Amino acid sequence: MTEIVTDQTPPVLHGPSDKEKKYDRQLRLWAASGQKALEDAHILLLNSGSGTVGVETLKNLVLPGIGKFTIADDSIVTEADLGVNFFLDEDCLGMSRSESCVRLLQELNSDVEGQHYQFGRDRPLEGLFSDATFTLILYTLPIDSNNLTLIQKYANEKKVPLLSIHSAGFYSYFQTHLPGSFPIVDTHPDSTATTDLRLLTPWPELSEFAQSVTKDIENQSAHDHGHIPYLAILLHHLARWQSEHGALPSTYKEKTAFRNFVSASTRTDNAEGGEENFEEAVAAVLKTISSPHLSGAVKEVFDYKPDEVESVSSFWIIAEAIKTFYSKHNALPLPGSVPDMKAQSTIYVQLQNIYKSKARQDVLEVLETVRVHPGGKDIPVTEVEIFCKNAAFIKLIHGKTSPASIVEIADKEFESDDIAALAMMPLSLLPIYLSLNATSHVPSASSSEIVATISKIIPSASSNPRIVKAAEEVARAKGGELHNISSLTGGMVAQEVIKIVTQQYIPIDNTCVFDGITSRTQVLRV
Amino acid sequence: MLKQNQESCSLPPRMDRKEYRLLIEHRGAGGLGCEILKNLALSGFKDIHVIDMDTIDVSNLNRQFLFRASDVGNSKAEIAARFVEKRVKGVSITPHNCKIQDKDDVFYMQFSIVICGLDSIEARRWINSALVNLFDPEDEDSLKPLIDGGTEGFKGQARVVFPTLTSCLECQLDMHAPRTAVPLCTLATIPRQPEHCIEWAHIIAWENDKPFPALDNDDPEHITWLFQKALARAKEFNISGVTYSLTQGVVKNIIPAIASTNAIIAASCCNEAFKIATQSNPCLGFEENYMMYSGNDSIYTYTFKHEKKDDCPVCGNLARELAVDPNITLEEFIASLAERAEAQLKKPSITAEKTLYMQAPPQLEKLSRPNLVKKMGELVGNGDEIGVTDPSLGAVDFKYKMKFSRDFASTA
C-alpha cells in the first residue's frame, strides 16, 4: 500500500534482493511488514486422523516463508498415508509420521525451519509446551479429547490463536478461536470502494482551488476547458446548483437532475463531439455526491467496550481518538488519496497536495488526542497515519463463539432453507458442520450414530432429511480424506493463518464449511 | 440432480480413473500446474500429460513446490513430471515442453478431460475454440470437458465447460474485462500517476533511445533502465511512487500469486475432474458451471450458472449488433476492438462482403492496407454484417451487425 500522508523518500537505485525476487508475487499483496510477521511466526500443527489436511496447510505456509513450523503427531506412516499425503513416500513406511512430513516439507524452502515432535506413551504431548512458544496452533480432527484439552489450555493461557480443521470425504470445515477481540486496520478494501472526496463538505483550500480552475469557465480556451479536473467541475456545478435551488442535491432524483445539469455544460462543438473530463464528471456524480456514512463495521468498533488489557493497546487508543474526532467533525479523518482524472500534470499534483495536507492536518488532530492518553505517548506516528487512512475500513473480528446457542443457529439456518429455492439462495451447510462435528473424537461412525449424537444438541435432527443425508456422507467416508478436498481446505486455512499472522485482510468469524459436492462454502458464527 | 445431469449430458460411460487420460496445460506466472499434477496423481488418475513451454524462474519458488533452486532454468513440464512420478507410485506423466498451439486435433483427441492453469486470456481462448471445434455430434468421444482455473491474489475461479453444450470460455470473456489503456497523449504530455511515467519510459523513451536491441522484461538491466527513466520523468512532474517493483509490475503486467490460492483453485478443478470421471457426485457443468472464490474479506464463494450465448463467436452463430461511428477510420475501428470486453482482439482481420483488412499473409496485408485510412462509412453500409477473426486465438469468429451511431459525413 503506498504511503500517502508522509512524503516518500526517494527509492534507492538498485535492483531487488534475492529474497525480494523469490517472494515478489506475494510481497505485492502483504508487503514487507506482512512478510516480516510471517517470518517471525512459529506455527504448530497437532496432526491426527488421516493426517493430510494439516500438512497441505503447512505446505502453503512453508512456501511463502513462515519462520518456523512444528508437527506433533503420534502416528507411524502406513500404506494408507501414501495414497493421500503428498509429503510422504515409500521410504517413510513404518517411520514417524511427524518426522517424515517435516523432512519433505522442509525441502520446499530453505529459509524455513521445521521441527517434529513424535509423542506417545514414553513421550507425552505435554513435553512439547515446556520450552517452545507458538504464534498459532492448528489441530486436525478427529482428535483425542485429552490432547484437545491440553492444547486448549495452553492456547488459553498464552493467548494463542487456535484453528481446528476437519476434512472427511467430500466435506470439510475449519474454525478459528482467537484470544479475545481481533481488530484489523489494514483490511485491503477494494480500491473502487475507497474514494472519499468530500465534495458536499469542501474545506476552504479545496473550494478556492475549484474556483480558480473554473474561473470564467464559459470563456476558457478549448484546451483549458477540456482539462479541468472532474472534481473541480463537480464542485463548480454544486455551488451553482446550491445557489439556484437553495440546497445541495440529496435525493436520487435530484442527483440525476444534477447529472444532466453537469452534462449540459459539456462543449460539443469540437472534433470529438464531447469532453473526456466532463464525461468523467458525469460518471462520478452518483458515486461521489453523497455524504459519507459510517459503515456497520466502524460503528461496531466505536461501540465496542475494550476490557482493561485491550484498552491500553495502540489500536484501542487510536480508535478512541478517532471516535473523538468523528463526534467533533461528524466525519472520519480524510484518507487523502485522489483518483486519477484527466487534468494537466501540475494541476493534478496541486489537487493531490490539497488532499494530502488536509489528511495530514487530520492526522495531527488525532495524534494530539492519542498523545494525551496515558498509554499514547509512544505510539508511532506512522501507526496513527495508517489508521487514519484506513479509518473507514477498520474491522473487528470477535474471535469468540457465537452468543446464540446451536439450536437457535440451526433454527435460523433451516428456516432460511425453507425459502432458499424461492429466494434463489443456496442451502445452509450447517448439516455438514453438525455431522463432521459429531465425529470430532471418533475415527468413524455410522450415520445413525452421527444423527443420534446431533440429536443430543438438536432434538429434531433425525427428522431433518438434510442432516440425515450429510450424516450418511460423513459415515461413508469412514474418516478418510479425499486429497482434493483436503488440499482445497488446506489452501483456505493457510489464507486464514496468513491473515491472522500478518493482521491484514479480514479473517473468517469463525467457522467455514466446505461442500465439495456442490462446490460451495459458507461462513457461520457458531 | 445427478439423474438430470446424466440425461442431458452425453458423458462417456462411467470409467475407471485408470482409463482416463488427462491433459494439463500450464503456462506462466500462476503456477496451478504443480498443484493440479499432485492432486490428480493422488486422486487415482494414472495417465496424465502436461504441456508447459516455460522454464523455471526464481520467482516461481514461492508457490510452485515441485521445483527447487537448483532447477532454475530447466523445463517446468519435465521437472514436474519426474518429481510426481517419483513421489506417487504407479502414475505415468508425460511432459510436453512446447506451446499448446503447437499441438493438433489428433493430439487433443486422445484425452478424456483437459484442465487448464493458463495465465493468458489468449491461450485460454485458443484451447477453448480448439475443443469446441473438435466436437463432432456423431462421436461422443470427441466431447472433451474443459476445466479452467485462474487466480489473482486471494481470489480465483474454477469453471467447467462441456464444449458446445454449455457456456464456453468465450461466452464468459466479458467477465474478465481488459485493463483500460492510458491514452498516449496522457503519457506524452500530462502524466499524473507513477504508472504513467513507467508506461512513458516503456513505450516512448525506449523507442527513442533504443538502449538495447530488444526489450527483455526478464532482464534486470532493462528494467533498471526503464525504472531510472521513469523516475527522472516522475521527478520532472513532481509525481511520487515510482519504484523498481512497480516498474517491473507495470511492464510485465504482474499479477500477485500465492501458494494458498493456487491450492484452492487447483483442488477445485481436480475435484470436478474426479467427479466427472467417477460420476460419484454431480460435477459443475450443466447447472452451475462457475465457482468464484474470494478470501479478501472473510471467505466468499459464488457458484452459479453462466448462460451460453447464442451470439458467441466460438460456440454460437448469431451476429451481435455493434454501434459504430461511420466517421472513424477502419484503423480506429480495429483499435477499438481491443478494448471491447467481449472482443479483446489485438490483431484482428476484418471481412465484409469483401476483405477489408487481413493481418496475414503479407501479400494480402499489403493489398488491404490502404483500407485502414478509409472511413467505416465508405467501406460498409448501415446494417451490414462483418466478420472479425484473429488467427492467433484459433477459430474465434465474430459476426457483427453494423449499426451506425450517427450520420456518415462523406468526405468525398
Side-chain angles (χ1 to χ4, degrees):
Chain A
M1 186 169 285
T2 43
E3 186 49 64
I4 299 296
V5 179
T6 48
D7 285 320
Q8 284 193 334
T9 47
V12 192
L13 282 179
H14 62 68
S17 66
D18 285 349
K19 197 157 128 191
E20 282 164 345
K21 274 189 217 157
K22 177 168 151 188
Y23 294 135
D24 179 77
R25 300 301 186 269
Q26 67 199 43
L27 290 170
R28 290 171 193 277
L29 292 173
W30 52 69
S33 60
Q35 189 63 29
K36 171 140 198 329
L38 286 178
E39 287 169 12
D40 290 342
H42 184 180
I43 308 289
L44 168 67
L45 166 66
L46 176 56
N47 206 13
S48 48
S50 92
T52 296
V53 68
V55 175
E56 284 291 310
T57 305
L58 285 180
K59 173 201 72 202
N60 303 321
L61 296 170
V62 170
L63 287 165
I66 198 93
K68 253 177 159 183
F69 71 97
T70 296
I71 301 179
D73 197 338
D74 62 355
S75 300
I76 299 299
V77 180
T78 65
E79 198 72 50
D81 286 309
L82 303 190
V84 66
N85 192 332
F86 192 73
F87 295 95
L88 290 173
D89 61 16
E90 275 190 325
D91 299 341
C92 306
L93 281 173
M95 291 167 62
S96 139
R97 191 164 77 176
S98 62
E99 184 177 4
S100 304
C101 287
V102 168
R103 182 168 54 82
L104 293 184
L105 279 170
Q106 177 101 65
E107 279 180 7
L108 304 183
N109 193 342
S110 55
D111 298 340
V112 176
E113 191 190 331
Q115 292 171 340
H116 67 274
Y117 188 90
Q118 190 76 18
F119 63 96
R121 208 179 304 155
D122 311 330
R123 200 180 182 211
L125 182 60
E126 285 90 328
L128 176 64
F129 301 108
S130 58
D131 53 13
T133 53
F134 302 105
T135 317
L136 184 144
I137 299 175
L138 303 164
Y139 66 91
T140 55
L141 295 155
I143 192 174
D144 177 274
S145 32
N146 294 327
N147 291 345
L148 178 58
T149 311
L150 198 71
I151 51 169
Q152 280 174 335
K153 187 168 158 266
Y154 172 85
N156 214 7
E157 276 168 14
K158 306 273 172 161
K159 302 222 170 294
V160 174
L162 201 55
L163 267 99
S164 57
I165 321 167
H166 198 161
S167 170
F170 279 100
Y171 295 155
S172 73
Y173 85 85
F174 55 95
Q175 201 164 52
T176 58
H177 314 261
L178 300 173
S181 64
F182 188 82
I184 312 145
V185 176
D186 198 356
T187 50
H188 293 259
D190 267 354
S191 58
T192 49
T194 55
T195 310
D196 179 4
L197 298 175
R198 309 280 165 96
L199 296 185
L200 294 177
T201 51
W203 57 99
E205 291 83 358
L206 181 60
S207 300
E208 278 160 30
F209 166 84
Q211 280 158 16
S212 78
V213 293
T214 55
K215 196 170 173 209
D216 202 9
I217 189 164
E218 316 288 336
N219 299 314
Q220 284 187 0
S221 68
H223 182 267
D224 285 351
H225 196 264
H227 284 81
I228 306 171
Y230 82 68
L231 207 150
I233 295 175
L234 290 177
L235 284 167
H236 171 81
H237 286 84
L238 280 171
R240 281 178 52 191
W241 178 278
Q242 188 167 25
S243 68
E244 279 168 36
H245 297 82
L248 291 164
S250 64
T251 63
Y252 181 76
K253 206 177 151 196
E254 285 166 357
K255 285 178 197 170
T256 41
F258 176 72
R259 193 168 57 181
N260 295 337
F261 173 57
V262 176
S263 181
S265 306
T266 313
R267 291 187 189 170
T268 52
D269 56 344
N270 47 25
E272 294 80 24
E275 288 170 305
E276 213 183 313
N277 54 338
F278 276 77
E279 276 171 34
E280 289 177 347
V282 168
V285 166
L286 293 180
K287 227 183 105 187
T288 52
I289 310 290
S290 55
S291 6
H293 65 282
L294 276 195
S295 73
V298 177
K299 272 194 206 117
E300 210 173 322
V301 171
F302 282 179
D303 294 343
Y304 184 81
K305 302 267 174 288
D307 63 29
E308 262 176 53
V309 183
E310 285 169 343
S311 62
V312 295
S313 74
S314 55
F315 178 91
W316 289 109
I317 294 171
I318 304 172
E320 187 60 36
I322 288 190
K323 192 175 161 186
T324 309
F325 182 98
Y326 184 82
S327 45
K328 187 168 162 201
H329 301 281
N330 200 26
L332 291 168
L334 185 74
S337 50
V338 181
D340 190 35
M341 59 190 73
K342 188 165 186 194
Q344 303 275 27
S345 305
T346 46
I347 301 282
Y348 180 77
V349 171
Q350 203 186 332
L351 183 60
Q352 268 185 323
N353 286 335
I354 290 169
Y355 275 82
K356 275 188 204 169
S357 71
K358 174 73 167 76
R360 218 172 282 149
Q361 214 178 302
D362 288 357
V363 168
L364 285 177
E365 191 179 325
V366 173
L367 186 67
E368 221 169 279
T369 319
V370 167
R371 289 287 184 254
V372 172
H373 191 282
K377 282 179 204 60
D378 299 322
I379 294 176
V381 183
T382 48
E383 201 177 332
V384 179
E385 279 173 354
I386 293 168
F387 204 127
C388 288
K389 189 169 156 35
N390 290 311
F393 299 95
I394 49 175
K395 174 91 182 172
L396 182 67
I397 298 294
H398 303 279
K400 295 188 187 76
T401 49
S402 169
S405 74
I406 192 75
V407 178
E408 287 167 335
I409 294 166
D411 281 349
K412 199 170 141 262
E413 290 292 311
F414 297 140
E415 204 173 287
S416 56
D417 272 3
D418 292 340
I419 55 155
L422 269 176
M424 311 262 285
M425 295 283 287
L427 293 165
S428 171
L429 301 186
L430 187 68
I432 295 177
Y433 169 76
L434 295 172
S435 301
L436 287 172
N437 197 48
T439 58
S440 288
H441 305 295
V442 288
S444 65
S446 71
S447 60
S448 52
E449 285 165 346
I450 293 171
V451 173
T453 309
I454 299 171
S455 301
K456 285 181 203 155
I457 47 169
I458 298 167
S460 62
S462 60
S463 61
N464 183 322
R466 297 198 57 236
I467 291 183
V468 174
K469 210 170 148 250
E472 280 165 4
E473 184 63 33
V474 169
R476 191 175 10 245
K478 294 194 180 69
E481 291 173 83
L482 284 175
H483 185 81
N484 292 325
I485 304 302
S486 288
S487 184
L488 200 157
T489 307
M492 294 196 284
V493 176
Q495 282 196 349
E496 293 308 305
V497 172
I498 289 167
K499 291 191 262 182
I500 293 169
V501 170
T502 61
Q503 296 184 33
Q504 294 186 38
Y505 298 91
I506 303 175
I508 59 161
D509 197 4
N510 58 5
T511 305
C512 176
V513 189
F514 176 67
D515 176 6
I517 297 172
T518 60
S519 305
R520 287 178 199 282
T521 59
Q522 183 182 0
V523 175
L524 283 158
R525 192 161 169 229
V526 290
Chain B
M1 197 180 208
L2 179 61
K3 210 164 174 204
Q4 197 183 352
N5 271 357
Q6 281 168 334
E7 275 167 11
S8 59
C9 115
S10 44
L11 273 176
R14 188 193 156 100
M15 265 186 179
D16 196 272
R17 274 159 285 158
K18 287 193 192 92
E19 291 168 40
Y20 251 72
R21 176 173 274 193
L22 283 99
L23 176 66
I24 306 174
E25 303 191 316
H26 179 233
R27 173 75 228 278
L32 290 167
C34 290
E35 285 283 349
I36 295 174
L37 266 181
K38 170 198 67 146
N39 296 344
L40 292 177
L42 288 174
S43 297
F45 291 102
K46 299 295 179 198
D47 184 2
I48 306 168
H49 287 233
V50 56
I51 301 190
D52 195 328
M53 67 168 293
D54 280 351
T55 52
I56 298 158
D57 180 77
V58 66
S59 70
N60 301 147
L61 300 179
N62 83 325
R63 59 200 185 281
Q64 299 182 19
F65 59 93
L66 303 176
F67 310 137
R68 305 289 174 262
S70 58
D71 297 324
V72 168
N74 286 313
S75 152
K76 281 187 180 175
E78 280 164 24
I79 299 282
R82 221 179 301 149
F83 192 106
V84 176
E85 273 188 346
K86 193 164 163 267
R87 183 68 58 87
V88 182
K89 288 290 166 253
V91 60
S92 151
I93 301 175
T94 314
H96 301 273
N97 184 15
C98 64
K99 283 193 196 167
I100 58 168
Q101 292 90 340
D102 295 342
K103 298 290 188 186
D104 58 12
D105 284 358
V106 179
F107 175 81
Y108 287 109
M109 234 353 242
Q110 62 180 317
F111 299 101
S112 318
I113 299 176
V114 176
I115 304 182
C116 294
L118 298 162
D119 74 338
S120 88
I121 292 184
E122 285 77 15
R124 283 194 174 96
R125 294 174 78 176
W126 188 89
I127 186 65
N128 177 63
S129 75
L131 295 183
V132 168
N133 285 287
L134 200 61
F135 178 62
D136 169 6
E138 306 287 301
D139 173 10
E140 72 173 30
D141 280 348
S142 68
L143 181 72
K144 312 292 179 194
L146 169 63
I147 306 176
D148 175 75
T151 76
E152 177 169 1
F154 284 80
K155 300 180 181 176
Q157 81 277 335
R159 41 192 175 159
V160 180
V161 176
F162 287 90
T164 72
L165 303 178
T166 67
S167 160
C168 76
L169 300 189
E170 195 75 28
C171 295
Q172 299 167 16
L173 190 65
D174 54 7
M175 308 231 3
H176 304 265
R179 213 171 45 155
T180 45
V182 181
L184 265 181
C185 65
T186 298
L187 302 184
T189 58
I190 47 167
R192 301 173 296 268
Q193 304 294 337
E195 290 85 354
H196 298 165
C197 302
I198 294 165
E199 286 289 15
W200 173 84
H202 183 199
I203 297 168
I204 299 171
W206 183 278
E207 279 308 308
N208 283 341
D209 296 15
K210 289 243 185 278
F212 303 92
L215 177 62
D216 176 0
N217 287 344
D218 293 320
D219 188 331
E221 215 182 323
H222 295 190
I223 298 287
T224 303
W225 188 91
L226 292 174
F227 166 46
Q228 290 183 348
K229 277 281 169 189
L231 197 60
R233 185 159 176 89
K235 206 169 166 199
E236 184 190 334
F237 287 93
N238 277 317
I239 296 167
S240 60
V242 173
T243 60
Y244 185 93
S245 166
L246 184 69
T247 307
Q248 205 188 15
V250 170
V251 172
K252 294 179 71 171
N253 189 20
I254 290 177
I255 294 165
I258 52 175
S260 39
T261 316
N262 279 347
I264 296 164
I265 297 304
S268 179
C269 290
C270 295
N271 183 39
E272 298 309 326
F274 182 80
K275 288 189 288 184
I276 291 173
T278 60
Q279 298 196 11
S280 51
N281 271 304
C283 58
L284 288 186
F286 289 92
E287 291 305 317
E288 283 98 16
N289 51 16
Y290 199 122
M291 192 273 286
M292 221 153 48
Y293 177 91
S294 173
N296 280 33
D297 181 350
S298 183
I299 289 175
Y300 174 72
T301 50
Y302 179 48
T303 307
F304 65 100
K305 181 178 188 178
H306 191 284
E307 298 284 351
K308 193 169 172 338
K309 286 184 180 158
D310 293 334
D311 58 0
C312 170
V314 170
C315 71
N317 48 24
L318 283 184
R320 59 179 80 187
E321 219 166 66
L322 180 66
V324 60
D325 178 353
N327 301 299
I328 61 168
T329 63
L330 178 61
E331 190 166 22
E332 287 167 328
F333 174 73
I334 289 175
S336 74
L337 290 172
E339 291 196 9
R340 295 189 64 84
E342 90 285 354
Q344 302 180 40
L345 300 166
K346 292 191 181 114
K347 291 187 77 179
S349 295
I350 317 272
T351 52
E353 279 184 354
K354 57 184 170 50
T355 297
L356 296 186
Y357 182 68
M358 294 297 278
Q359 302 274 359
Q363 303 92 313
L364 250 168
E365 195 281 331
K366 201 174 162 197
L367 265 175
S368 57
R369 200 185 303 156
N371 281 341
L372 286 177
V373 295
K374 290 189 187 156
K375 296 275 167 63
M376 287 304 283
E378 291 175 64
L379 297 166
V380 293
N382 199 1
D384 282 4
E385 228 174 76
I386 63 161
V388 180
T389 56
D390 187 338
S392 70
L393 300 172
V396 177
D397 186 4
F398 280 90
K399 294 192 194 89
Y400 280 120
K401 192 176 164 141
M402 301 280 97
K403 190 179 171 229
F404 286 178
S405 59
R406 55 175 170 158
D407 288 338
F408 177 44
S410 174
T411 46

